[in-house]
Amino acid sequence: NVLNGGKHANNSADFQEFMIIPSSADSYAQAVQIGSEVFMALKKGLANLGGSTAVGDEGGFTHEVQSNTQKLDMLMMAVTSAGYQPGVDVHFALDVAASEFYQDGKYHLANENRYIDSTEMIEYLSEIAQSYPVISIEDGLDQDDWNSWVSQTSVLGENVQLVGDDLLVTTQERLQKAIDMGAGNAILIKPNQIGTLTETIRAIQLA
């Protein structure tokens, strides 16, 4: 998690987390090395741009931007600067946390000063996944926008991990509904969401 936005970083991107996946690593140690080198290249790049190198609540840089894709451009620059190839050595993951900016049936992208509906949000995420090496998108839509999750999965589910966190909250009932509907294709497991280890294990077994 190298760039923060949303609730984790005021005055930054709408999306909450921008993450790197060291996909070419052969070991945990190599993955840590790649991640560290990209992180430091990102810090240097932000400093060269005259931007802040302060970090948000979860340790990612909080550089101000005018659009969410600007953060991804920064990641592309950092990966290349660190001597790696985007889409080969390093892929990207997003935690959109869309429920945080879903208002009255619309997604309010405050940084880009626009309101878009669910169909447009899916198109936006699809464009991002086509333009950048994004292979995982968490909570790309609101937690109760079920039919749109189905649409998103039909559009992106073959090539992108579509993770339910706010959507599923480690709850068997919501996970079963997602399985039955074809809404998303992955779950984020958090014992604190459901409250007991027994229920957590049952959610894992169902998944």
Side-chain angles (χ1 to χ4, degrees), residues 138-189:
E138 178 183 336
D139 287 337
L141 296 163
D142 181 65
Q143 62 196 26
D144 292 314
D145 197 0
W146 284 96
N147 290 330
S148 297
W149 268 89
V150 174
S151 298
Q152 177 188 228
T153 306
S154 66
V155 172
L156 286 169
E158 286 295 316
N159 300 308
V160 179
Q161 180 175 263
L162 301 170
V163 185
D165 178 14
D166 296 339
L167 177 76
L168 303 177
V169 290
T170 318
T171 302
Q172 282 181 273
E173 290 77 14
R174 290 183 73 91
L175 175 57
Q176 187 63 63
K177 180 177 179 178
I179 292 167
D180 294 340
M181 292 181 68
N185 57 24
I187 180 172
L188 182 60
I189 297 293

Side-chain angles (χ1 to χ4, degrees), residues 83-134:
Y84 298 104
Q85 188 175 345
V88 176
D89 299 308
V90 180
H91 288 81
F92 302 157
L94 303 173
D95 178 4
V96 177
S99 296
E100 299 288 350
F101 53 83
Y102 187 66
Q103 302 171 5
D104 303 319
K106 295 276 190 178
Y107 294 92
H108 180 206
L109 300 174
N111 261 70
E112 301 178 11
N113 194 30
R114 60 188 179 124
Y115 286 86
I116 60 177
D117 62 23
S118 297
T119 300
E120 292 169 319
M121 187 66 182
I122 294 169
E123 290 172 355
Y124 182 43
L125 294 174
S126 298
E127 289 169 6
I128 287 174
Q130 289 168 6
S131 301
Y132 300 91
V134 172

